[in-house]
Amino acid sequence: MTRKYRGHIILLVLLSVICVQAHAQQNPLTFQSKDLQLIAQRYTGSTVNWPIVIEMATHNVSSNSFTLNPADILQLQNFADFSSRVNEQKDRISKLINSGATVFANQEYINAKNIIAEYSAAIDDGELEQAIESAGQLKEAVDLLETTLMNNRIVDIQAQLSRKKGEVDKRIGLLGSWSDAMTGDLFKQSDGIRTLIESYATLSFTDGSDIQVTPNTVAVIRKSRIDKLNNSTDTEITLEDGGLLAKLSAAGKDRSRYILNAGPSRSELKTQNFYAETEGEERAKLSNYDGEAIINSNDVTITIQKNQGTIVEEGKDPMQPVELLPAPSLNWSSADTIINKESLLFSFREIEGAVNYRVQYSTSANFDGEVTEVMTDETALTIEDLPLGMTYVRVQATDQLGLRGPYSKTARIIRNVDNNPPPVFVDDIRENLLLTTSEDFAIEGVTEPDAKLTINGKLVSIAASGRFSHPLSGLSGETTVEILSKDPTGNQSELKVTVVRLSEEILFNFDIGRLPALDAERVKAGNTILSSQAYAGIKVVISNQQQSRTISTDGQGRWGTKMNLIPGELTITFKNMSTDHTYLSKSFIVEAEQ
């Protein structure tokens, strides 16, 4: 085979593949809700992009399926490139954080984070164009972040107040006086930070680690140094009163040395998630959620592993490690909930041995901004005055020792403005038609469960799932039904449906050859045109000996075909196009021409 001939074959194969792919892309894609994340991964490159898929897809409530048309699929595939670019820039930011971006280029870092937040918000809201716009801005912002970082990293400052809520104070040096702290303030060795009631603060270190300071807390940076050769840090913090959560970065955990003094204890942290709580110098409660922490007190050293805790009291050996209570699981099938009301009942499963629970909710996914914390003895809490947009909620259990267990999976609550009428979906409807052969028929469907539903002016009860059913009797020919659904805010939707009782007079109103199908029992063989007009949504199945043909009615109910009838049996059946339910069927004897 010559090289030229082989080249022609390869070209033909490639053209065939392209044609097959082009043909596949011309067809709509229908999938079930359980496959939503799989579709997001396949076409956008990430499962987190599922809100974009939902926004673009058409939702069939009765079958709980979604459909994407070819144009939508192409847009999602185009978006996959932007999603990949964002992930690349996130990786760059992570590396820049390890190099000190949060301190030496904080404004540029915040700008890049804001763009990522705008991108994430656009994803959550299903806003494709906004997500693409934010993705396009990110690389330039990260480039500026890197340039600024390299230019500014000549200041020997370790920590910066990156977030605050409420009253937060700063003390310069051990002998200084307390004054208001501002976001962006720098903290060095011997500086102190204080939060008052219902106040929070986050100190960010050059290796990307954060110290989240809870309300009514006083902490002092005892030592804060950086080795510019390898960017490792040597940090020591004293918790004088209150509580703090140490969230070390991966670099901080592996390369740096973090010492936390709490009460009579001294802890070396090799963990990315550690909580300490103290009431003065006599007692400390320590909980570790990752890695390990080496605890020393009274010249005795213990190690607490992931999801273990201990109590340290002055003059006593540390308590041997105890297992923390597990994270409560939520009473929701999904971590994402969309509501239209200002309040929500947040419920979770009981944890054996729990004395109480702490529920936190915030507009920040990291719970380092506007945080509200509520203690409760119950396994449910009504959260009031939810803001529009996204709210993050989590819960942890506290045992009899006062040790806090790990947090639950974070729930995302999306509150929307309710200015949309309640949808009404009717089962087995097509072109606003419902077809039946029975004199008695029930209209069934679904709407919002708190809506008020009337059918032809009669109030219809709605189940908690939103399902409804309304019987009709004495049907004949066409019957018009008016459905009205109205929600508590006054939004309403109307739907007019025509219920048709099908009969032989309607469906078999055509000729087979020269004989009317309605009355005929025997028909003649040969080429025969069969055609009539019924209703949309019907398929006509014609079987004659070994041959069979299926014809679907068009939008006006018309159908037709030409067949060469063979002597023997002829059966004509009218079925529902979607469900395959048989409405009416009739058989004939085909006789040979004399």
Side-chain angles (χ1 to χ4, degrees), residues 158-233:
Q158 280 291 296
Q160 187 175 55
L161 182 60
S162 57
R163 283 180 177 268
K164 61 170 285 189
K165 173 196 174 184
E167 298 181 70
V168 179
D169 296 333
K170 175 184 179 180
R171 185 182 64 196
I172 300 177
L174 298 177
L175 302 179
S177 57
W178 292 103
S179 61
D180 290 342
M182 305 297 293
T183 301
D185 281 354
L186 300 175
F187 288 73
K188 60 182 184 298
Q189 182 173 308
S190 300
D191 289 348
I193 186 170
R194 179 176 69 180
T195 57
L196 303 184
I197 187 171
E198 297 183 355
S199 300
Y200 292 84
T202 299
L203 285 176
S204 296
F205 289 79
T206 57
D207 62 359
S209 301
D210 287 338
I211 300 295
Q212 296 181 3
V213 186
T214 61
N216 298 316
T217 294
V218 177
V220 177
I221 299 177
R222 294 293 181 185
K223 182 169 55 175
S224 183
R225 298 189 300 224
I226 185 170
D227 182 351
K228 291 188 176 182
L229 181 64
N230 57 15
N231 285 333
S232 64
T233 61

Side-chain angles (χ1 to χ4, degrees), residues 429-434 496-498 536-537 554-556:
I429 194 171
R430 190 181 183 92
E431 303 291 341
N432 281 7
L433 288 174
L434 285 174
K496 286 189 177 182
V497 177
T498 300
D554 62 15
Q556 296 179 346

Side-chain angles (χ1 to χ4, degrees), residues 248-377:
L248 273 59
S249 65
K253 173 184 174 182
D254 296 335
R255 295 203 310 261
S256 301
R257 181 172 181 263
Y258 274 85
I259 301 295
L260 176 61
N261 304 311
S265 69
R266 178 181 175 86
S267 304
E268 182 175 354
L269 306 183
K270 295 295 181 182
T271 170
Q272 291 185 268
N273 205 341
F274 184 88
Y275 181 77
E277 184 177 6
T278 183
E279 298 175 0
E281 301 179 353
E282 298 180 353
R283 193 170 189 266
K285 293 178 283 188
L286 310 174
S287 300
N288 181 38
Y289 309 115
D290 171 81
E292 65 179 24
I294 302 170
I295 315 298
N296 183 275
S297 179
N298 202 35
D299 293 328
V300 175
T301 299
I302 65 170
T303 300
I304 56 175
Q305 304 293 337
K306 179 180 180 179
N307 292 334
Q308 290 184 338
T310 186
I311 303 291
V312 181
E313 295 184 274
E314 187 175 15
K316 297 181 180 180
D317 296 348
M319 178 187 294
Q320 288 302 305
V322 298
E323 296 296 324
L324 300 175
L325 295 178
S329 55
L330 307 183
N331 283 332
W332 297 346
S333 58
S334 171
D336 299 309
T337 300
I338 302 175
I339 64 172
N340 298 317
K341 299 180 294 185
E342 293 184 355
S343 62
L344 172 79
L345 182 64
F346 176 74
S347 63
F348 46 90
R349 292 184 176 89
E350 182 179 5
I351 298 296
E352 183 177 355
V355 174
N356 54 50
Y357 304 92
R358 280 181 172 83
V359 177
Q360 284 189 344
Y361 53 97
S362 172
T363 55
S364 167
N366 296 323
F367 293 86
D368 55 0
E370 294 289 330
V371 180
T372 300
E373 182 175 279
V374 180
M375 288 185 58
T376 178
D377 298 332

Side-chain angles (χ1 to χ4, degrees), residues 8 23 41 50-51 62 182 251 274 302 311 329 344 349-350 359 368 374 396 403 439 450 481 540 563:
H8 288 166
H23 176 72
Q41 176 67 44
W50 62 263
S62 60
M182 305 297 293
F274 184 88
I302 65 170
I311 303 291
S329 55
L344 172 79
R349 292 184 176 89
E350 182 179 5
V359 177
D368 55 0
V374 180
Q396 64 180 171
L403 295 174
E439 182 181 4
D450 58 351
V481 177
V540 186
M563 289 184 67

